[in-house]
Amino acid sequence: MNDSPTVALVTGASRGIGRAIAIELGKMGHVVVGTATTQQGADNISVYMAEQGIKGKGFAVDVSSDDSVSTLMAAITEEFSAPLVVVNNAGITRDNLLMRMKAAEWQDVINTNLGSMYRICKATVKGMTKARFGRIVNISSVVGSSGNAGQTNYSASKAGIEGFTRSLAIEIGSRGITVNAVAPGFIATDMTKDLPEAQTSALLSQIPLARLGQPEEIAGAVGFLVSDKGAYVTGETLHVNGGMYMG
């Protein structure tokens, strides 16, 4: 890695896992660009980065739009430089049983979770190739491997992320670019704290470590993969799930 600070792009960085990753990369010395779906979310990213003493800022982007991603990349390159570390964390859920799933619920999840990774990676690989260095980490999920009732769309998108990761790793490895995935289990975030107690207890009974993971534990795995210590790891999916699923 170059001695000068590397620009790191983290999508979906306004809260939870994305926020923890952005802070982790900032503490590693990267200039961090975090994205949110709204300008208010982007402003909040800029605020917490400043509070943490991290150089960088938040940007608003619609990761499901080609034009929005192109505008984002132009703005990042103009203000900072081309990002050489990319973490694709943006994602949504639209849970439903397949028999009741609307076409929009399928398309929205696939286009956001899987399509955004295609757009962001395509837009950043050229700069990495020119630099002969790059680190891409795609955030998958335990359900991409284990499956989960009511989440055929989400599980398909996350399994697709892992196949994409392996294929891209083969394509660009010779350019000094690694591509990996991190697959979190159930993590203590805003999405899980409101679960009913009975559902939480049932969930914990499936986890050998008997607790939810922390966002910082996912961020630590990402930090390893983008660091020099993870430079010989590529095309892998690192499961961080407390033993809930063992492939």
Side-chain angles (χ1 to χ4, degrees):
M1 184 183 297
N2 298 327
D3 292 333
S4 58
T6 302
V7 175
L9 169 61
V10 182
T11 64
S14 60
R15 60 194 176 102
I17 291 172
R19 175 185 170 123
I21 291 169
I23 292 173
E24 174 76 12
L25 297 183
K27 289 180 177 178
M28 291 172 66
H30 296 287
V31 175
V32 181
V33 172
T35 76
T37 56
T38 65
Q39 189 56 50
Q40 181 180 358
D43 293 342
N44 290 339
I45 292 171
S46 297
V47 168
Y48 80 66
M49 284 187 183
E51 291 173 347
Q52 296 278 343
I54 297 169
K55 185 178 180 183
K57 65 184 288 188
F59 284 85
V61 65
D62 176 4
V63 293
S64 67
S65 162
D66 292 350
D67 290 342
S68 184
V69 169
S70 295
T71 300
L72 169 71
M73 291 305 166
I76 295 171
T77 303
E78 181 178 353
E79 185 165 350
F80 301 105
S81 64
L84 300 183
V85 173
V86 171
V87 181
N88 287 296
N89 173 67
I92 61 171
T93 57
R94 297 288 186 268
D95 295 352
N96 212 339
L97 296 175
L98 182 64
M99 287 189 296
R100 300 173 185 167
M101 187 175 291
K102 298 178 177 64
E105 291 172 331
W106 173 267
Q107 293 292 350
D108 288 351
V109 169
I110 297 299
N111 194 32
T112 299
N113 298 6
L114 197 54
S116 66
M117 181 182 58
Y118 156 76
R119 294 181 190 92
I120 296 290
C121 286
K122 187 173 182 181
T124 54
V125 161
K126 185 175 180 180
M128 295 180 187
T129 300
K130 184 177 179 180
R132 306 292 294 183
F133 173 86
R135 298 284 181 267
I136 297 172
V137 180
N138 303 314
I139 305 303
S140 179
S141 168
V142 62
V143 303
S145 296
S146 67
N148 196 32
Q151 289 194 310
T152 52
N153 50 3
Y154 186 75
S155 298
S157 73
K158 294 301 185 176
I161 284 173
E162 294 178 19
F164 178 104
T165 295
R166 289 188 288 271
S167 296
L168 186 59
I170 295 169
E171 285 186 20
I172 61 178
S174 63
R175 275 81 166 180
I177 306 167
T178 65
V179 190
N180 292 287
V182 172
F186 284 89
I187 308 300
T189 64
D190 293 343
M191 294 176 69
T192 55
K193 71 179 183 180
D194 295 329
L195 290 175
E197 186 175 344
Q199 192 172 345
T200 302
S201 296
L203 188 60
L204 294 178
S205 69
Q206 303 173 47
I207 304 172
L209 291 186
R211 66 173 177 85
L212 298 180
Q214 296 298 315
E216 292 75 17
E217 292 173 310
I218 304 304
V222 173
F224 163 71
L225 290 171
V226 305
S227 73
D228 290 342
K229 293 180 179 178
Y232 201 55
V233 181
T234 195
E236 289 296 322
T237 296
L238 178 55
H239 288 271
V240 187
N241 59 37
M244 181 180 178
Y245 172 86
M246 303 181 190

